[in-house]
Amino acid sequence: MTMVEWFIFFLAIQVIHFLGTWKLYIKAGRKAWEAIIPIYNGIVLMKILKRPSWWIILLFIPIINLLMFPVIWVETIRSFGKYKSIHSFLVVLTLGFYIYYLNYVENVTYVEDRSLKSRTELGEWVSSIVFAIIAATIVHTYFMQPYTIPTSSLEKSLLIGDFLFVSKFHYGARTPMTTVAAPMVHDSLPFTKMKSYLKKPQLPYFRIPGFENIKRNEIVVFNWPVDTVRFFRDHSNIHVDKPIDKKSNYVKRCVAIPGDSLEIRDGYIFINGERTVLPDRAKIQYMHKVITNGQQLNGTTLSRYNITEGSFQGDFYMLNLTDENAAKLSKNPIVTSITKLIEPKGNYSKSIFPHNSQYPWSIDNYGPIYIPEAGKTVELNTKSLPFYKQIIEVYENNNLTVNGDEIFINGKQATSYTFKQDYYWMMGDNRHNSEDARYWGYVPFDHVVGKPVFIWFSWDSNADGIANKIRWERVFTTVHGTGEPVSYLYYFLGALALWFGYSSFRKRKNKED
């Protein structure tokens, strides 16, 4: 929906509210006209309901308002003496239109001294649960979101089974674009294959200002740009066009930021002509062919070299190794040779971005490629178009047509294009086992979810052959930073013990007084 359409919708809601409540406003000692003035009518209604005025804010927050509207409906009928469960059921079932019946048909009386406490234990429980969900949804949407690492694309930095807290406020929280959705779930309802949202209506993209920009080589969570796609990674042929905020969540390392020129040479990243310097916690892995003297590399040996991915191919091993681990393993007496498997340029692959035969690049020898920056203009021709076609058409919503060598944007011939937003290049540290930007291209800033900051739990389902093992050394560690991660679990437990001890002491002291 456009802003004009949303404005018309907002005015329609005001009219519906006025028609269904103006008599009730009068019975509550207010004026009829107070029921139609936008926002002011809500403030007056909160006074009638004897509820805080800030509840009005919650009615304008997507997803939260879906929970608040039924609360307001029930509070309204209770303010006019309708306390029974059947009345609450009717007002929710009729989407609030039961209030019309009270307004025009039934001669109800305003309860001036209404108790705000629920009359039944069930009602108290429902009220508590609703507001707990509202509070949790606000935190989840605007402050901190839990996330689980599902793949090994950032292996050694982030492991499968790491449970993260992702900060929404570092880069700025993105307000929901999907207005009708289940709270605190992503694109599907738990334990089902049902979508958790309705595609329409949609709000325009808006982001609350953050306090830092995405830095080169930071780990970032984002919505997978090309996920228009597959539910549940079932790799079926079922295609579902998803809203931006309901596309699958991915986590990668941002190796290039807007304005950079990126190139990959024999697996190493070069930014603006210089080889990039990665944080010391980043452990880049490549697939290696390892040949031994006939003896096998057992699990103990692989564990000693911190090797977690690989397979035996009959007469050699295919192992995912960092350069450091490859150098150490090469000194093992049973190893006769180690070869890093680097794919050269020259063989065109449709799977490699920009998916055009003019650019026969590989995952290990790639580019150079420009990372678009908001406000910057690039030349547009048949040679550059493969890089920017998806940006122009999909991410920035233009009508693009090509007639021979002529390019038309929104019906006008174009020889250049100016970008409307920033773009980023996201890659996994596990270079040969990562579905990243080398396959699908740029990540728009409006797809950025947040910055992972903290590992609060880590679960290894197959560590050293032992199933279901907690990685205690990773619990309560930071994602970014330098040096070996330090667990703050014992500090937290100590602070918790002090708090409970102090609380117990204070209660005992109060009783004695």
Side-chain angles (χ1 to χ4, degrees):
M1 292 175 71
T2 65
M3 291 303 295
V4 173
E5 290 171 333
W6 273 109
F7 181 70
I8 294 172
F9 176 75
F10 175 72
L11 291 181
I13 292 295
Q14 304 308 309
V15 173
I16 292 171
H17 174 76
F18 171 76
L19 294 176
T21 60
W22 66 273
K23 284 188 175 182
L24 299 180
Y25 273 63
I26 294 173
K27 289 181 178 182
R30 307 298 302 200
K31 305 295 184 182
W33 59 265
E34 291 181 305
I36 198 168
I37 299 177
I39 300 178
Y40 176 71
N41 56 7
I43 295 173
V44 172
L45 180 62
M46 291 306 108
K47 290 180 178 179
I48 293 172
L49 305 184
K50 294 181 169 44
R51 294 297 186 178
S53 297
W54 58 261
W55 274 25
I56 295 300
I57 298 173
L58 301 180
L59 295 175
F60 289 90
I61 302 177
I63 311 304
I64 300 295
N65 53 16
L66 298 179
L67 298 169
M68 283 303 300
F69 278 120
V71 172
I72 298 299
W73 298 335
V74 172
E75 288 288 313
T76 299
I77 65 172
R78 286 180 177 176
S79 294
F80 291 90
K82 301 299 180 180
Y83 292 103
K84 293 183 178 179
S85 298
I86 185 62
H87 298 139
S88 299
F89 177 77
L90 283 172
V91 77
V92 173
L93 184 66
T94 60
L95 301 179
F97 282 97
Y98 176 61
I99 297 173
Y100 272 66
Y101 173 77
L102 303 184
N103 192 60
Y104 290 106
V105 179
E106 192 163 336
N107 186 25
V108 293
T109 302
Y110 177 61
V111 182
E112 184 71 39
D113 56 349
R114 178 174 74 96
S115 172
L116 299 182
K117 188 173 182 179
S118 179
R119 296 192 172 192
T120 65
E121 187 174 343
L122 176 61
E124 191 69 31
W125 271 98
V126 171
S127 178
S128 299
I129 291 171
V130 168
F131 279 95
I133 293 173
I134 288 172
T137 302
I138 290 174
V139 172
H140 183 276
T141 304
Y142 296 98
F143 297 97
M144 202 72 70
Q145 174 183 341
Y147 181 83
T148 308
I149 298 297
T151 70
S152 63
S153 67
L154 285 168
E155 186 73 21
K156 301 294 185 283
S157 300
L158 294 177
L159 309 181
I160 296 175
D162 279 350
F163 292 77
L164 310 177
F165 282 136
V166 177
S167 165
K168 298 292 188 71
F169 53 84
H170 275 77
Y171 308 139
R174 186 181 59 187
T175 58
M177 287 164 269
T178 304
T179 59
V180 181
M184 293 189 300
V185 297
H186 194 52
D187 59 353
S188 61
L189 295 173
F191 313 113
T192 74
K193 292 189 176 182
M194 295 174 60
K195 290 193 300 183
S196 64
Y197 62 93
L198 298 180
K199 286 176 60 178
K200 295 182 178 180
Q202 284 279 306
L203 284 171
Y205 164 74
F206 178 77
R207 188 181 293 272
I208 299 169
F211 62 85
E212 69 175 43
N213 296 320
I214 298 175
K215 299 181 184 68
R216 196 180 292 121
N217 294 320
E218 279 188 334
I219 296 174
V220 178
V221 174
F222 56 94
N223 296 117
W224 188 32
V226 292
D227 188 4
T228 54
V229 184
R230 305 185 293 265
F231 264 1
F232 308 98
R233 295 289 176 272
D234 60 3
H235 299 279
S236 69
N237 291 321
I238 300 174
H239 293 269
V240 180
D241 291 324
K242 297 181 183 179
I244 290 174
D245 55 345
K246 292 302 177 182
K247 291 181 179 182
S248 299
N249 287 329
Y250 263 37
V251 58
K252 305 288 180 187
R253 190 178 300 279
C254 177
V255 298
I257 60 177
D260 282 347
S261 175
L262 173 138
E263 186 175 4
I264 304 175
R265 305 174 193 168
D266 293 331
Y268 299 106
I269 293 173
F270 288 75
I271 302 296
N272 305 323
E274 296 185 5
R275 182 170 166 177
T276 193
V277 178
L278 291 163
D280 59 1
R281 290 189 184 181
K283 308 297 182 184
I284 309 303
Q285 295 188 110
Y286 306 89
M287 195 61 71
H288 290 70
K289 180 179 180 180
V290 179
I291 300 176
T292 69
N293 59 8
Q295 299 183 59
Q296 289 192 356
L297 296 169
N298 57 35
T300 303
T301 302
L302 296 177
S303 178
R304 185 166 70 246
Y305 293 104
N306 196 22
I307 300 169
T308 54
E309 288 187 330
S311 60
F312 184 54
Q313 303 292 321
D315 53 359
F316 64 89
Y317 290 86
M318 293 287 286
L319 301 179
N320 228 349
L321 305 171
T322 64
D323 288 346
E324 181 183 5
N325 285 344
K328 289 179 180 179
L329 185 61
S330 67
K331 296 176 183 178
N332 190 297
I334 73 170
V335 174
T336 58
S337 71
I338 296 182
T339 306
K340 183 188 291 187
L341 302 180
I342 296 297
E343 190 175 339
K345 282 185 180 180
N347 297 322
Y348 168 63
S349 171
K350 286 170 56 176
S351 66
I352 302 297
F353 183 82
H355 317 295
N356 189 286
S357 59
Q358 297 179 83
Y359 304 98
W361 299 342
S362 75
I363 58 173
D364 296 311
N365 285 279
Y366 188 97
I369 184 172
Y370 170 70
I371 312 303
E373 184 178 5
K376 293 299 176 70
T377 301
V378 293
E379 183 180 356
L380 209 57
N381 51 47
T382 54
K383 189 172 179 63
S384 64
L385 184 61
F387 295 104
Y388 310 125
K389 185 177 186 293
Q390 191 160 5
I391 288 177
I392 296 169
E393 279 189 310
V394 180
Y395 304 151
E396 301 195 354
N397 302 309
N398 295 287
N399 180 28
L400 176 70
T401 57
V402 180
N403 184 13
D405 291 335
E406 295 180 328
I407 300 169
F408 296 86
I409 299 177
N410 300 324
K412 295 181 180 180
Q413 187 171 353
T415 57
S416 64
Y417 185 76
T418 302
F419 301 106
K420 298 176 183 176
Q421 63 175 318
D422 287 331
Y423 292 82
Y424 300 84
W425 196 260
M426 308 289 188
M427 288 177 58
D429 293 350
N430 201 345
R431 293 286 195 255
H432 292 162
N433 190 14
S434 175
E435 188 177 8
D436 56 34
R438 293 169 293 178
Y439 298 95
W440 36 258
Y442 310 106
V443 174
F445 186 52
D446 64 9
H447 283 59
V448 170
V449 173
K451 178 179 180 176
V453 293
F454 197 68
I455 301 171
W456 62 273
F457 189 70
S458 187
W459 184 266
D460 188 353
S461 60
N462 190 21
D464 300 327
I466 303 173
N468 303 329
K469 178 182 177 182
I470 297 174
R471 303 186 186 102
W472 291 107
E473 73 283 358
R474 296 184 65 81
V475 175
F476 275 54
T477 59
T478 57
V479 173
H480 295 91
T482 59
E484 287 297 319
V486 176
S487 174
Y488 294 94
L489 176 62
Y490 296 113
Y491 297 97
F492 171 76
L493 293 176
L496 203 62
L498 287 173
W499 169 254
F500 279 115
Y502 173 72
S503 297
S504 177
F505 170 78
R506 190 175 60 180
K507 288 179 181 178
R508 194 164 56 249
K509 188 75 173 174
N510 290 339
K511 286 182 179 179
E512 291 174 357
D513 293 341

